[in-house]
């Protein structure tokens, strides 16, 4: 591990973080910084995918009422070790980095997508807002519509729908709709996007691409039967 005698504040190099003061390394590489307890700092251990992450319970409790309740037993005694089932190790590390005052956290598209479920489940509103702000800046894709609808991000949903209408072709939308991350895309919203694309063509007097369907076809193909059939009956909705 490199060592420097200079007094510097925190900086990051890709996914590795160091914080040095007067030549003392406080935070090491991303894969190591929570591996071992730190005297006077560690007060809880989170277990994720069988790995232990040593952290400060007060930071978690301040950021989330859900964590505040989770980290304390009904008797009022602190739990020293808490398992977070069905969570991704890397996602939890990024969440801890975000809350860590000794790390200058840099949000990215990948991190925002990974952190949104945690921010929503643990009611971390500031983190949720920062994830939304990041996703408002990335290139358009249908996944943004899916995420915005799932996590009630109104600004992102409005923006992502508009970007899908103006920047994505019908062929691109269909390819993206078949991706695993979009398997739960809301069909009403998807139909709305496709119909608005046709309205856009009509407003400028242009002809849609050959692959683009008509509104009648869109409703006929995507709209579930209003009678609640188990399988779509492909009937147009009047």
């Amino acid at each position: 591990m490199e060592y420097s005698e200079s007094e510097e504040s925190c900086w990051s190099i890709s996914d590795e973080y160091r914080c040095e003061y007067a030549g003392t390394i406080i935070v090491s590489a991303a894969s190591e910084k929570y591996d071992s307890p730190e005297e006077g700092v560690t007060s809880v251990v989170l277990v994720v995918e069988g790995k232990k992450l040593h952290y400060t319970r007060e930071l978690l409790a301040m950021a989330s009422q859900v964590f505040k309740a989770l980290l304390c037993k009904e008797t009022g005694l602190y739990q020293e070790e808490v398992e977070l089932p069905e969570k991704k190790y890397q996602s939890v590390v990024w969440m801890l980095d975000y809350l860590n005052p000794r790390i200058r956290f840099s949000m990215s598209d990948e991190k925002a997508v990974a952190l949104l479920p945690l921010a929503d489940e643990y009611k971390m509103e500031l983190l949720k807002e920062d994830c939304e702000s990041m996703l408002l800046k990335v290139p358009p894709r249908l996944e943004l519509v899916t995420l915005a609808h799932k996590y009630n991000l109104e600004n992102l949903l409005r923006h992502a729908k508009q970007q899908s209408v103006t920047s994505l072709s019908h062929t691109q939308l269909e390819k993206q709709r078949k991706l695993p991350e979009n398997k739960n895309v809301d069909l009403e919203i998807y139909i709305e996007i496709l119909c608005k694309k046709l309205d856009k063509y009509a407003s400028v007097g242009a002809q849609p691409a050959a692959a683009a369907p008509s509104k009648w076809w869109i409703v006929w193909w995507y709209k579930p039967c209003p009678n609640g059939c188990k399988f779509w009956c492909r009937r147009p909705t009047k």
Side-chain angles (χ1 to χ4, degrees):
M1 182 177 293
E2 294 180 0
Y3 183 80
S4 172
E5 293 294 339
S6 60
E7 297 186 9
E8 297 287 347
S9 58
C10 294
W11 71 88
S12 63
I13 305 175
S14 71
D15 280 337
E16 291 193 353
Y17 300 87
R18 276 192 191 85
C19 184
E20 300 184 8
Y21 185 80
T24 302
I25 297 178
I26 302 174
V27 180
S28 60
S31 61
E32 303 172 358
K33 59 181 173 287
Y34 304 123
D35 283 356
S36 303
E38 183 179 347
E39 185 177 356
V41 174
T42 299
S43 52
V44 70
V45 178
L46 304 178
V47 182
V48 186
E49 294 185 327
K51 301 176 183 178
K52 293 186 177 183
L53 295 167
H54 299 80
Y55 205 67
T56 307
R57 75 174 60 248
E58 289 78 10
L59 292 177
L60 292 167
M62 288 175 64
S64 164
Q65 288 297 318
V66 176
F67 266 121
K68 185 176 181 179
L70 180 65
L71 298 177
C72 187
K73 295 180 180 178
E74 294 180 359
T75 59
L77 298 175
Y78 287 132
Q79 293 194 73
E80 295 182 356
E81 189 169 295
V82 177
E83 185 170 358
L84 302 182
E86 300 179 4
K87 302 295 182 292
K88 298 291 186 181
Y89 176 79
Q90 182 60 74
S91 299
V92 174
V93 168
W94 283 335
M95 179 187 71
L96 301 183
D97 286 348
Y98 176 85
L99 298 175
N100 193 334
R102 301 189 301 190
I103 290 177
R104 183 180 292 121
F105 185 78
S106 178
M107 185 67 77
S108 68
D109 184 350
E110 179 187 9
K111 292 176 184 177
V113 172
L115 288 170
L116 261 178
L118 297 177
D120 185 71
E121 179 177 348
Y122 296 121
K123 310 300 181 188
M124 303 169 70
E125 295 304 320
L126 289 179
L127 175 56
K128 195 171 181 179
E129 289 175 9
D130 285 346
C131 290
E132 181 178 25
S133 296
M134 180 70 238
L135 295 176
L136 284 167
K137 303 173 185 177
V138 304
R141 63 180 189 271
L142 187 60
E143 183 189 11
L144 301 180
V145 174
T146 304
L147 290 170
H149 180 258
K150 182 176 182 179
Y151 297 113
N152 299 311
L153 304 174
E154 294 183 3
N155 291 335
L156 180 61
L157 181 58
R158 183 168 53 252
H159 175 78
K161 287 197 296 184
Q162 181 61 29
Q163 289 293 304
S164 295
V165 170
T166 59
S167 303
L168 298 176
S169 69
H170 176 260
T171 301
Q172 289 173 319
L173 286 168
E174 275 298 282
K175 286 182 178 179
Q176 292 184 23
R177 188 178 68 86
K178 297 173 183 177
L179 297 175
E181 57 266 30
N182 292 318
K183 66 179 181 180
N184 294 320
V185 66
D186 185 84
L187 282 177
E188 293 289 343
I189 295 176
Y190 189 67
I191 290 171
E192 177 189 348
I193 290 170
L194 295 181
C195 289
K196 283 186 175 180
K197 288 186 72 65
L198 292 178
D199 289 340
K200 184 188 72 167
Y201 287 122
S203 67
V204 296
Q207 292 296 320
S214 66
K215 276 191 180 181
W216 186 90
W217 189 92
I218 289 170
V219 174
W220 179 69
W221 183 261
Y222 294 104
K223 191 77 171 180
C225 176
N227 298 323
C229 296
K230 184 176 180 180
F231 299 100
W232 299 350
C233 63
R234 304 279 198 266
R235 284 204 224 54
T237 302
K238 301 295 185 183

